[in-house]
Amino acid sequence: MVGYLLTDSLTSNAEDRIYQHVHLDPGHMLLGMQAASGIVAWCTLLVSGQLGPAVLFLAGHSKALVHVFVLVLAEACGAYACTVTVRLFGPAVFTLLLMSHQILSLLISVALFNHRVSPWSCFCLVVVALVVLTSSIRRVTTTRQGVSKERCRRSNPTLGRIRHGAVRRPAPCTAS
């Protein structure tokens, strides 16, 4: 479980870092991630001795293959959507989307199945949501300010060449 949590928390940040340094298509990134996880899954089934019974079950219950195919297709579409979201918007927005999805799922589950929720659990949910929200907002605003400053430098190339009044100082840029 700890390994899963660690790799799951690092995935979107690793994707963002790869996108920043290597210009990969989201489909290529997805193919690499899915191939790696598929190899790990097949090896785990093989080592644990559960590959044979799983294949025998699918051979004996051909209707289950349709359900497996639908699950695989849905997972592939979801994984591609996640990869594109990280590529276009970064891991901060992706984390916000996932957090919103989890909170909404939790609220719907509580409403539909009348789960008992303690005030302490609600407090923890609010704290986690606020921490993720504020860190994501901080990262997005920092990124936007950096982009605005870079645009300002590009639009006023003389800013870096001003020496002792020889070049007239242009109007300062305002970050938007």
Side-chain angles (χ1 to χ4, degrees), residues 24-90:
L24 274 179
D25 181 67
H28 293 141
M29 177 72 83
L30 180 64
L31 178 65
M33 288 188 327
Q34 295 301 331
S37 66
I39 290 169
V40 169
W42 280 98
C43 290
T44 303
L45 283 174
L46 189 64
V47 168
S48 69
Q50 296 179 358
L51 182 61
V55 171
L56 288 174
F57 176 82
L58 289 175
H61 300 87
S62 59
K63 288 185 179 180
L65 285 173
V66 174
H67 296 284
V68 169
F69 178 73
V70 168
L71 284 172
V72 167
L73 186 64
E75 194 275 334
C77 291
Y80 186 74
C82 292
T83 305
V84 169
T85 302
V86 170
R87 172 75 173 120
L88 295 177
F89 303 107

Side-chain angles (χ1 to χ4, degrees), residues 1 28 64-65 95 100 103 125 128 139 153 168:
M1 184 62 124
H28 293 141
L65 285 173
T95 303
S100 302
I103 290 174
L125 177 67
V128 168
R139 182 172 179 175
R153 284 188 204 117
R168 187 169 180 200

Side-chain angles (χ1 to χ4, degrees), residues 7-8 17-19 29 35 47 52 59 62 73 75 77 85 93 95 97 99 112 119 124-125 129 151 163 174:
T7 56
D8 190 46
R17 188 173 233 27
I18 290 170
Y19 284 137
M29 177 72 83
V47 168
S62 59
L73 186 64
E75 194 275 334
C77 291
T85 302
V93 173
T95 303
L97 289 173
M99 184 191 68
L112 286 178
C124 290
L125 177 67
R151 284 183 187 157
R163 289 194 183 112
T174 56

Side-chain angles (χ1 to χ4, degrees), residues 101-111 115 125:
H101 172 262
Q102 290 295 336
I103 290 174
L104 188 62
S105 297
L106 181 70
L107 293 176
I108 290 172
S109 177
V110 167
H115 296 299
L125 177 67

Side-chain angles (χ1 to χ4, degrees), residues 3 15 25 84 98 100 123 145 164:
E15 283 180 26
D25 181 67
V84 169
L98 284 183
S100 302
F123 174 74
Q145 288 173 352
H164 306 293

